[in-house]
Amino acid sequence: MNAPTDISPQDGLALEAIMAFWADAGVETAYDDAPVDRLAVPVPPRPAPSRPTAPVALAKAGAADPAVAVAEARALAAACADLGALAAAIAIFDGCPLKGMGARQAVFSRGRPDAPLMIIGEGPGAEEDTLGQPFVGRSGRLLDRMLAAAGLADQVFISNTVFWRPPGNRTPGPDEQRVCAPFVERAFALVRPRAVLLLGAAAARSVLRVEEGVMKLRGHWHHWRPLESAIEAPVMTTLHPAFLLRQPQAKGAVWADLLEVAARLDAAP
Ligand code: URA
């Protein structure tokens, strides 16, 4: 289809306004599940295969069987002797469907490699996707301020449940998190933190494998010992800083959770 050339100034302004509306709503990309070759000569549609070879959601995302991808991730992660090797392994890993959905790069971690506190968020947003580091946007700036106020600024290693930005900043799906989990678990084993802080319900679902609401989980200690791991640590869940940007009155609860974490780290190991 040719682009219309007879747009009136009013139509142009209306178009700009609606694009700004969608951008404000977080919609920054518009594409189909598969790339469209607009130069291709149309061919008559082929009859559909009688039996799909992969679950529809995964086939749409162009991903392999998640169990195979998880096994591949686990093998790759297990072979990494340090965080640098782990970052390189994540960057070449193609098993997460999110990688093919418009993300610019893998976003793995920032912070101390021997941090006493490991923080796990949901997944990279737009600024993280651009800069290649987790929590460097508005949520990250709020998180950093709260960590500094609690005396935890230089005590943390920060990562996410997935390493590629979900399109439109949607919540990562369980299969996307499952495929990335072996890398998160390996990071945990390499850092050996004395405590873990989960930010938001999606992080709690991925790490603790629970479906309870974050309001119920927050403020209580849980325990994390990943499958096939000799490393374990106490885990606190709190509200995601993006939620605090929308609901600042909830900051008190997060502050209480951070103080609880700080007290635990201060106590003898
Ligand atoms: N939100 C997250 O959960 N992680 C980031 O890295 C940034 C925003």
Side-chain angles (χ1 to χ4, degrees), residues 121-125 128 134-135 139 160 240:
E122 182 176 308
E128 289 77 18
F135 284 102
S139 297
N160 278 306
H240 195 286

Side-chain angles (χ1 to χ4, degrees), residues 15-36:
L15 206 54
E16 267 177 34
I18 198 147
M19 294 306 282
F21 168 81
W22 284 117
D24 281 350
V27 178
E28 296 164 2
T29 47
Y31 49 82
D32 289 332
D33 294 326
V36 178

Side-chain angles (χ1 to χ4, degrees), residues 70-121:
V70 169
E72 192 194 331
R74 198 165 288 290
L76 263 175
C80 295
D82 56 39
L83 292 169
L86 192 58
I90 291 167
I92 58 157
F93 179 64
D94 287 332
C96 179
L98 288 171
K99 191 171 183 178
M101 293 185 186
R104 288 197 175 110
Q105 58 184 316
V107 175
F108 171 42
S109 71
R110 70 175 168 96
R112 258 173 71 178
D114 61 343
L117 178 64
M118 178 168 176
I119 298 181
I120 305 176

